[in-house]
Amino acid sequence: AVMDLFGDLRRMNKRQLYYQVLNFAMIVSSALMIWKGLIVITGSESPIVVVLSGSMEPAFHRGDLLFLTNFHDDPIRAGEIVVFKVEGRDIPIVHRVIKIHEKENGNIKFLTKGDNNEVDDRGLYKEGQNWLEKKDVVGRARGFLPYVGMVTIIMNDYPKFKYALLAVMGAYVLLKRES
């Protein structure tokens, strides 16, 4: 009878472990679905970004979380804060539009600058590029949460912290018992 009990326990633990693994997979896939949904709703390939530098202070600080939209019918205007990608740089840049050139046919070229920077962004653009175009824009800032993104910055600056955090979260999900 004692051996039967151990067999039951072992079977139950295996079942419990599978259940927790499936639970974890469900959480991950739900997060991905929400992210894809946001991409569709906002029209931006990254609807949420973290400000990584102090170039936009005092408007935005390092660690602020920005919410972006990128609707193509919306004209870009001077004074607007855009997030753009430049060839040869992986990380998008969050800066303000300071000048606009609009052609008869509706094509727009514009120049950006960080509020806290002395000079415009021409030094950041790829060589020979003096203006940005709509295709360079990832999104436009529509709202923000202050400092919520600090976790992301800490994880980038200290990779060991990232792995420790992931290990703790993984262990919690796998070991958590259903009450």
Side-chain angles (χ1 to χ4, degrees):
V2 175
M3 292 313 270
D4 282 352
L5 182 70
F6 276 122
D8 283 349
L9 269 176
R10 202 175 305 133
R11 268 194 302 279
M12 196 183 91
N13 279 345
K14 208 174 264 180
R15 180 174 282 161
Q16 192 89 31
L17 180 71
Y18 291 145
Y19 177 78
Q20 299 297 31
V21 167
L22 284 173
N23 224 358
F24 185 66
M26 194 175 73
I27 291 167
V28 170
S29 58
S30 298
L32 283 171
M33 281 167 56
I34 290 168
W35 182 252
K36 288 289 185 195
L38 281 174
I39 289 174
V40 170
I41 293 164
T42 62
S44 172
E45 66 193 58
S46 51
I48 299 170
V49 294
V50 175
V51 178
L52 297 175
S53 77
S55 68
M56 276 304 289
E57 289 175 5
F60 298 122
H61 296 275
R62 209 168 167 237
D64 288 356
L65 203 67
L66 296 186
F67 301 102
L68 311 178
T69 61
N70 198 15
F71 302 120
H72 285 286
D73 332 336
D74 265 2
I76 289 173
R77 292 289 167 239
E80 208 173 359
I81 293 165
V82 295
V83 178
F84 61 92
K85 263 192 141 147
V86 178
E87 252 178 74
R89 285 178 181 260
D90 297 337
I91 297 170
I93 300 166
V94 181
H95 281 173
R96 191 179 301 276
V97 175
I98 56 167
K99 268 190 194 153
I100 288 209
H101 276 301
E102 200 163 352
K103 292 195 180 123
E104 306 278 318
N105 64 7
N107 275 359
I108 293 178
K109 289 188 172 188
F110 54 95
L111 181 63
T112 53
K113 176 185 170 293
D115 289 359
N116 203 12
N117 292 352
E118 295 295 317
V119 293
D120 64 40
D121 291 344
R122 287 197 169 125
L124 298 173
Y125 304 160
K126 75 170 196 253
E127 209 166 316
Q129 182 180 8
N130 287 326
W131 301 91
L132 289 178
E133 293 173 47
K134 241 177 176 164
K135 65 174 174 50
D136 301 314
V137 175
V138 175
R140 294 126 127 206
R142 294 293 183 224
F144 76 105
L145 281 174
Y147 302 115
V148 176
M150 273 322 271
V151 179
T152 312
I153 290 177
I154 292 167
M155 287 197 306
N156 282 342
D157 291 353
Y158 307 102
K160 284 190 181 120
F161 175 76
K162 174 167 57 183
Y163 298 124
L165 192 68
L166 285 171
V168 167
M169 283 167 58
Y172 173 74
V173 170
L174 289 175
L175 301 175
K176 188 181 71 128
R177 287 274 174 266
E178 288 300 306
S179 44

